[in-house]
Amino acid sequence: MATRMQHTEHAPTEDHSAHGYLGNKDALLTRLRKIEGQVRGVARMIDGDTYCIDVLTQVAATTRALEAVALALLEDHLTHCVAEATAQGGSVAEEKLREASAAIARLVRS
């Protein structure tokens, strides 16, 4: 089963120096390092001719872990970036809501 990756350019509308995930950065990086290890483990399983169902089980676990990171980032974005923009109102708020909506759509499609 092949999946198609899409790349879209994003022109930042403002300074993103204070990202919502900064308070969780260390935890997110720790989780991503664990996921990286899981991916290497899946590669070792394939290299070692592990039974396909066992490999698929690990792929599913890795996918769930990566989705958890994505949801944590989305929650941070909503509670920090979108909340601040909404307080400002106007076009800034509209843009942040559009970004959040597009991010949710990408996550749902994946």
Side-chain angles (χ1 to χ4, degrees):
M1 174 159 81
T3 59
R4 192 179 81 170
M5 300 287 293
Q6 289 184 340
H7 176 72
T8 58
E9 286 297 318
H10 181 300
T13 56
E14 62 183 85
D15 179 25
H16 293 282
S17 59
H19 299 293
Y21 61 78
L22 287 180
N24 297 328
K25 186 175 180 177
D26 290 338
L28 289 169
L29 289 171
T30 297
R31 291 174 92 175
L32 287 168
R33 286 184 197 102
K34 288 179 182 179
I35 293 167
E36 184 179 18
Q38 285 179 286
V39 171
R40 284 193 305 270
V42 170
R44 283 191 302 274
M45 291 175 81
I46 291 173
D47 189 46
D49 299 326
T50 302
Y51 183 57
C52 54
I53 295 300
D54 295 336
V55 176
L56 288 169
T57 299
Q58 290 306 310
V59 168
T62 304
T63 300
R64 284 190 305 275
L66 197 52
E67 287 171 348
V69 169
L71 289 173
L73 286 167
L74 180 61
E75 181 179 353
D76 287 342
H77 181 67
L78 291 172
T79 59
H80 179 264
C81 303
V82 174
E84 280 186 9
T86 302
Q88 289 179 9
S91 64
V92 172
E94 291 171 9
E95 176 62 22
K96 289 295 179 194
L97 289 171
R98 274 194 298 274
E99 286 177 351
S101 180
I104 292 166
R106 286 190 302 272
L107 287 172
V108 170
R109 284 191 299 262
S110 63

